[in-house]
Amino acid sequence: RYIDILGPLLTVDSTSLADRKDREPVVLAGMVIDLRVINDRKGQQMAFVTMEDFNGSYEVIVFASSFRTSRERLEKDSLVVIPGKVTIREGSETKVIADKVYTIEEGLRYLARAVHLSVEGESLGDEGIEGLREVIARHSGEKQVVLHVRLNGDGEKKLRPRAMGVSPGLDLISELKEISGVEHVEVS
């Protein structure tokens, strides 16, 4: 369910991680399978996290500065989104150094730049337009809304209303998908 929503925000998964360059920025998502907490040289806690996605597993290193702010998100079996950097050490597998650890909801809120809605103009109608206004008002925020409108099969028109901004989240996406005439919702 979440991979469909998060897909456009993710830059790599467990199968393509090894193809990345050292220090390359990446965004991954997965389930926490194992967590090993140790003390670093300064005596502060850090963690080695084994993550799993639909294709395999990988390890994430969460240094003390990030671990302090994300410890509660790193429970076994929790789903998280991790922006970070690739680290490649000779003789070992490719890993990720976490910059942040987000819940799915936080990942949508902080990493998405826009919410895209594909709508069929004729089937949206006045009720659908009013529904869109209400949902967008309830989830008001700073991220851009992009409407991809199809009218009479004449191709697609892209509209970026400046007065419409949203705070992306799972509830927003769910509510938008329920509106008659909205065919597809995606974040980017």
Side-chain angles (χ1 to χ4, degrees):
R1 172 183 169 208
Y2 299 117
I3 198 68
D4 295 336
I5 295 169
L6 288 171
L9 302 178
L10 306 179
T11 60
V12 68
D13 64 14
S14 60
T15 58
S16 58
L17 183 59
D19 301 332
R20 301 302 173 140
K21 294 181 175 76
D22 193 39
R23 313 297 271 160
E24 183 176 343
V26 293
V27 180
L28 305 102
M31 180 181 286
V32 175
I33 299 304
D34 188 45
L35 175 73
R36 191 167 45 97
V37 179
I38 65 165
N39 289 328
D40 66 11
R41 286 178 273 189
K42 295 179 183 176
Q44 298 179 334
Q45 288 188 324
M46 63 173 284
F48 293 92
V49 183
T50 303
M51 301 285 299
E52 190 173 85
D53 62 20
F54 289 114
N55 303 307
S57 62
Y58 52 93
E59 188 169 69
V60 176
I61 303 166
V62 185
F63 286 116
S65 57
S66 294
F67 187 67
R68 273 192 300 278
T69 60
S70 59
R71 181 182 190 122
E72 69 282 351
R73 294 177 192 90
L74 290 170
E75 297 294 322
K76 188 171 169 50
D77 297 331
S78 61
L79 296 171
V80 293
V81 178
I82 299 182
K85 291 177 190 62
V86 172
T87 182
I88 301 170
R89 298 288 176 249
E90 207 171 305
S92 98
E93 65 184 59
T94 304
K95 299 177 183 178
V96 174
I97 297 173
D99 292 331
K100 302 257 186 213
V101 177
Y102 294 127
T103 63
I104 302 294
E105 190 76 27
E106 290 168 338
L108 286 169
R109 191 174 324 120
Y110 296 122
L111 299 175
R113 295 179 314 279
V115 174
H116 298 261
L117 304 172
S118 296
V119 297
E120 178 62 50
E122 292 90 29
S123 63
L124 188 61
D126 291 339
E127 188 177 311
I129 291 171
E130 188 55 34
L132 276 176
R133 280 191 190 128
E134 289 174 9
V135 170
I136 289 170
R138 249 192 325 277
H139 298 276
S140 182
E142 297 177 5
K143 307 298 179 165
Q144 185 177 37
V145 174
V146 181
L147 297 169
H148 302 264
V149 183
R150 283 197 333 269
L151 293 170
N152 301 327
D154 289 340
E156 183 181 279
K157 302 266 189 234
K158 236 186 238 187
L159 304 171
R160 292 182 169 94
R162 292 173 198 223
M164 277 189 200
V166 292
S167 178
L170 295 173
D171 288 342
L172 169 69
I173 292 168
S174 175
E175 289 178 39
L176 288 171
K177 287 181 176 181
E178 294 298 316
I179 297 171
S180 177
V182 174
E183 298 175 342
H184 184 71
V185 180
E186 184 175 285
V187 294
S188 68

